[in-house]
Amino acid sequence: MVSKPFDSARLFAAVAAARMARLASRTLGRGGGSTVPGVVARRVDPGVLTELSRRLPLGSAAITGTNGKTTTTRMISRILQTAGVRAVNNSTGANLVTGVTAALVLDSDLFGEPASEMGLFEVDEASVPKVAAEADLQILAVLNLFRDQLDRYGELAYTGKVISSAFEDLPENGSVVLNADDPLVASLGRSAGKPVYYGVDEPALDTGRLQHIADSKDCPLCGTALHYDAVYMGHVGVYDCPGCPFGRPVLAYRASRVRLDGARGVDFVLQAPGGETEVRLNLPGLYNVYNALAAAAVAAEAGVGLEHISRALREFGGAFGRVERVKAGDREAFLLLIKNPVGFNEILRTFVASDDARHVLIAINDNHADGRDVSWLWDVDFEMLADARLEGRTKGASPFTVTGTRAEDMAVRLKYADLPVGAVIPDLEEALKTALEATPPGETLYVLPTYTAMLEIRKTLSELGYTHPFWED
Amino acid sequence: MKLTIHHLYADMMNLYGDRGNVISIKKRCEWRGIPVEVVDVGLGEPIKPTGCDLFLFGGGQDREQTLLVEDLAGKKGADLRAIVEDGGVVLGVCGGYQLMGHYYETPEGEKLPGVGVFDLHTEPRKPDEERLIGNVLVRVRGPEDDRWREIVGFENHGGRTYLGAGVEPLGEAVVGFGNNGKDGTEGARRLNAYGTYLHGSLLPKNPWLTDQLMLNALRRVDDAFELEPLDDAAERVAFESVANRVRHG
Ligand SMILES: [Zn+2]
């Protein structure tokens, strides 16, 4: 990085302009208030991010990956708070370099002095190199790489390359925190100065089947099909390569004795270089164990002790809009965001196949933010559910209600899995009302929406007067 | 009579829900009481026809595509050519379709030779060109009965495919880019081999095409074979929903 002479007048102008921009965008009631100040500040002073991030005494950490960025970042934020560290965050949806800049600019006073001690940023995969080149990253965490919105990012291996190209911008003692159980993510460790791996050891969670998802079942180094001792979800598990020395790296942070407690949460034992602690998480599913592990690893690498980590995770409620329970009169709506086949499979496994979810509304939209291509529905393992029913392992839900711009596609998918389809109602509001009515009083309607469907459903719930979420971050 | 679905490179080439095509054929056999088996044919494994066969060749990522080329250069490619010449039923989608042509040129300029059952080749996207992405509506003429029909799907490809003189397009892209975004053609057809850029998934929402592929395969054993009609109301509604949307932009 070329160090330019520091121009304090210019920095002052950038910070001032950004504040004006924020004020203006708030007054005008326009969206984009979380990135506009960043755009403006960068226009006035292109070096603003570099300069401001250098002033954070504890440096910064960035979190990237396909799934769980928001939840993990919020977990870390809670841990840092518990440990008394003041950290500045970018807001969700503002995870490009402009959003990171905006967060830092608005955290600083007019002279560019930050109120916080540390930066904590959720960063879009493709933006990692730019953020790493400008912000003073001490830690970079890569959670996982799944096929998600391929129309935006293209090939997975390419995304991996883009992320690892940023490693050289970290200082020598800077930690690259990597999910060891995701082969492609683990393979990035070879180009990291100080790779730190985390993963899960829990044979009871082996699904025994590779889900039908083509992400990364071949060795990222030599292309040989990987041999798996355990498959936890998608291509994530315990593996090694029969064709070359590549295998799952040695774990620095490890979750074991993982006990899934239905919709309520999960318990596990966290082992770290600094010791061992029991963790109770009030968020369901194995994917949240991975989020918590990543959060623990980042926090510990930043110097936070295990007692703070364990306490903060126990108190953590979840990220807004990802998993949410809303009281809907004498019923309850349980919203579980669906992003891709792996997440969908996890939700089916955790709730529907465990008989927790007896009343289900699936809401599939194909707007840009959902991914316009819905062919991924065919990669979701609905057949697992049908098998579980056939074998009598689950009584099963009442017929699924389906809705959204792609309600009809979803209905066909269920039909071909021999699962019962109830009402097909493309209009979300009408579908939600119908499904709530069909849910007996005192019971819960499980709503499985894609991103923009989630937004619409939240809006409808609030218009119906059902606004009080049980879990709020 | 048992129908065997040979899913070529199932473990590597099942991007974009190609699995939906396999499930579609399988279920439509099961619902009619036709015995059906799905056989995954992996890298280095030979194709073993049973007499009543349907071959599916799906799309993959570039890294995987390169691995396949070597595999197809040997006996497997030759077998596939012979199968097509003999009237065998093959469906290639996206990457699989591209590899059924003469060659596929990568963005790095490397020409990956294909099987050559279709007289076509695929050029890479130029730096100033976009990937061709979106919902597609294609008008298809079935040589079986010479009727025009429609299929819908989703395309997502960087490569531009150009047809030679020795191959017919599968149909015309009414909405969407099709083979190259220029000449209005989509896919290719030669004898009972079909190639297309439509995934999304192709067969579930276009059940008449699924049935045509099945019938082509079954009639190779029993030329009087008829398929029992199924209740396709859900599929029809899903087709109409997409078709209406793309027609009205
Ligand atoms: Zn290997």
Side-chain angles (χ1 to χ4, degrees):
Chain A
M1 204 184 319
V2 185
S3 181
K4 277 181 252 134
F6 169 54
D7 181 345
S8 63
R10 193 163 188 175
L11 182 65
F12 179 89
V15 174
R19 288 167 169 256
M20 294 293 291
R22 180 176 63 162
L23 198 63
S25 68
R26 278 191 182 165
T27 314
L28 295 173
R30 283 202 201 123
S34 46
T35 56
V36 170
V39 175
V40 171
R42 297 175 66 82
R43 210 175 290 149
V44 177
D45 180 359
V48 62
L49 177 55
T50 306
E51 186 50 42
L52 291 180
S53 62
R54 273 188 200 149
R55 299 181 178 197
L56 294 165
L58 301 177
S60 292
I63 318 302
T64 196
T66 314
N67 286 330
K69 285 192 285 281
T70 303
T71 304
T72 304
T73 308
R74 282 167 190 262
M75 284 176 174
I76 300 168
S77 176
R78 176 63 66 92
I79 296 170
L80 293 175
Q81 210 181 338
T82 305
V85 176
R86 294 190 309 276
V88 49
N89 288 199
N90 53 338
S91 42
T92 306
N95 58 10
L96 309 181
V97 73
T98 47
V100 173
T101 309
L104 272 177
V105 167
L106 299 176
D107 181 63
S108 305
D109 66 15
L110 270 177
F111 303 98
E113 280 311 314
S116 299
E117 303 161 278
M118 184 178 164
L120 173 61
F121 308 119
E122 166 188 343
V123 181
D124 177 87
E125 295 92 295
S127 298
V128 169
K130 201 153 173 57
V131 170
E134 295 189 25
D136 200 13
L137 295 186
Q138 293 295 314
I139 302 168
L140 172 59
V142 188
L143 304 181
N144 49 59
L145 289 171
F146 282 112
R147 190 151 67 80
D148 187 30
Q149 303 194 1
L150 260 184
D151 36 345
R152 266 173 68 206
Y153 293 126
E155 315 267 329
L156 269 186
Y158 175 75
T159 307
K161 266 186 225 156
V162 168
I163 292 172
S164 60
S165 73
F167 294 171
E168 60 180 26
D169 282 318
L170 264 68
E172 219 163 284
N173 63 349
S175 307
V176 176
V177 174
L178 298 167
N179 183 346
D181 297 353
D182 182 323
L184 181 54
V185 172
S187 74
L188 304 182
R190 291 175 314 134
S191 39
K194 185 188 166 197
V196 175
Y197 299 99
Y198 65 90
V200 172
D201 277 322
E202 181 50 78
L205 292 176
D206 180 15
T207 58
R209 57 205 280 176
L210 274 168
Q211 288 160 337
H212 310 276
I213 297 154
D215 289 342
S216 180
K217 289 177 302 205
D218 297 329
C219 174
L221 306 189
C222 74
T224 309
L226 291 171
H227 166 261
Y228 277 85
D229 283 326
V231 177
Y232 298 134
M233 54 169 96
H235 59 264
V236 171
V238 181
Y239 56 86
D240 63 76
C241 177
C244 77
F246 178 69
R248 183 211 202 197
V250 177
L251 307 179
Y253 298 86
R254 173 173 179 261
S256 58
R257 285 188 269 150
V258 180
R259 297 288 167 265
L260 302 178
D261 183 15
R264 289 161 294 274
V266 52
D267 298 284
F268 64 94
V269 173
L270 167 66
Q271 284 160 302
E276 186 177 303
T277 180
E278 285 184 19
V279 176
R280 164 72 195 183
L281 202 60
N282 292 314
L283 286 179
L286 179 59
Y287 54 104
N288 279 314
V289 174
Y290 275 99
N291 292 337
L293 260 179
V298 169
E301 292 297 307
V304 178
L306 278 186
E307 68 288 356
H308 289 305
I309 291 172
S310 157
R311 202 182 99 203
L313 289 176
R314 196 167 53 237
E315 292 164 356
F316 183 78
F320 176 82
R322 308 288 144 160
V323 174
E324 197 174 346
R325 307 178 83 115
V326 180
K327 192 110 182 74
D330 47 8
R331 288 132 173 128
E332 187 181 298
F334 194 161
L335 277 57
L336 293 147
L337 178 70
I338 289 166
K339 282 183 71 187
N340 50 36
V342 176
F344 208 151
N345 282 344
E346 270 305 288
I347 286 167
L348 291 180
R349 183 151 61 125
T350 309
F351 300 104
V352 189
S354 72
D355 266 353
D356 273 348
R358 307 297 306 278
H359 313 285
V360 181
L361 170 66
I362 305 179
I364 307 295
N365 275 358
D366 66 347
N367 297 315
H368 183 75
D370 306 295
R372 290 165 56 209
D373 179 7
V374 292
S375 60
W376 62 273
L377 292 176
W378 292 90
D379 291 328
V380 179
D381 203 359
F382 291 103
E383 283 72 16
M384 160 195 74
L385 217 55
D387 288 353
R389 285 182 169 219
L390 273 180
E391 292 159 19
R393 281 185 277 120
T394 167
K395 292 189 288 291
S398 16
F400 297 97
T401 308
V402 295
T403 183
T405 54
R406 289 292 193 148
E408 298 90 348
D409 277 77
M410 189 62 232
V412 171
R413 177 68 188 97
L414 292 172
K415 174 181 174 179
Y416 279 79
D418 287 325
L419 287 168
V421 187
V424 181
I425 310 171
D427 183 81
L428 273 162
E429 188 180 335
E430 192 193 331
L432 181 61
K433 287 179 184 163
T434 307
L436 273 175
E437 262 164 40
T439 304
E443 295 199 30
T444 301
L445 172 67
Y446 284 74
V447 186
L448 279 43
T450 59
Y451 183 70
T452 67
M454 168 76 116
L455 299 182
E456 272 183 70
I457 282 165
R458 289 182 49 80
K459 191 162 155 271
T460 303
L461 283 170
S462 124
E463 281 164 6
L464 291 170
Y466 306 143
T467 43
H468 177 64
F470 289 5
W471 297 344
E472 202 165 28
D473 193 47
Chain B
M1 180 163 41
K2 188 177 77 180
L3 178 69
T4 304
I5 304 168
H6 303 258
H7 193 185
L8 303 186
Y9 309 109
D11 50 342
M12 326 168 59
M13 301 290 277
N14 64 349
L15 260 188
Y16 309 124
D18 282 331
R19 192 166 159 262
N21 293 335
V22 178
I23 293 173
S24 231
I25 301 165
K26 186 165 171 273
K27 296 312 281 190
R28 295 180 75 79
C29 284
E30 286 175 7
W31 289 334
R32 290 168 165 130
I34 301 168
V36 58
E37 191 187 358
V38 181
V39 178
D40 290 349
V41 185
L43 214 56
E45 290 169 8
I47 297 175
K48 291 180 189 151
T50 64
C52 183
D53 306 283
L54 212 159
F55 300 87
L56 285 179
F57 192 174
Q61 305 195 24
D62 278 349
R63 180 172 62 91
E64 281 138 2
Q65 214 110 319
T66 339
L67 291 170
L68 300 193
V69 168
E70 213 174 306
D71 197 41
L72 285 169
K75 184 167 174 345
K76 204 185 260 168
D79 287 349
L80 206 55
R81 270 192 301 277
I83 285 166
V84 172
E85 291 316 308
D86 188 39
V89 186
V90 184
L91 173 65
V93 177
C94 210
Y97 167 44
Q98 293 172 339
L99 286 178
M100 285 167 78
H102 296 306
Y103 64 87
Y104 163 76
E105 192 178 332
T106 68
E108 289 78 31
E110 195 187 345
K111 276 188 189 170
L112 304 178
V115 184
V117 297
F118 291 138
D119 178 20
L120 58 82
H121 72 277
T122 302
E123 294 173 10
R125 164 166 76 106
K126 296 187 183 71
D128 60 330
E129 290 175 336
E130 298 285 331
R131 275 183 87 84
L132 306 178
I133 304 174
N135 288 302
V136 195
L137 177 71
V138 183
R139 248 159 63 91
V140 175
R141 196 206 309 254
E144 286 74 9
D145 55 9
D146 216 33
R147 255 180 66 191
W148 286 95
R149 288 191 175 87
E150 289 175 328
I151 54 175
V152 292
F154 195 91
E155 64 182 330
N156 182 351
H157 52 109
R160 270 67 172 166
T161 295
Y162 294 94
L163 306 181
V167 65
E168 275 183 58
L170 177 63
E172 23 182 279
V174 179
V175 182
F177 299 101
N179 281 329
N180 48 52
K182 294 187 187 96
D183 63 17
T185 64
E186 205 299 311
R189 173 154 183 188
R190 180 172 147 65
L191 304 172
N192 283 325
Y194 300 72
T196 178
Y197 272 119
L198 272 64
H199 55 75
S201 295
L202 174 68
L203 297 182
K205 277 196 292 289
N206 303 294
W208 69 266
L209 182 59
T210 320
D211 286 355
Q212 184 170 308
L213 293 170
M214 284 167 52
L215 204 56
N216 287 343
L218 291 160
R219 288 214 173 135
R220 283 169 56 78
V221 180
D222 172 1
D223 57 13
F225 198 94
E226 290 295 341
L227 288 177
E228 269 172 58
L230 295 173
D231 173 8
D232 289 336
E235 292 87 335
R236 203 155 44 236
V237 172
F239 168 88
E240 284 300 335
S241 161
V242 177
N244 285 333
R245 272 177 58 187
V246 300
R247 273 198 206 103
H248 306 112

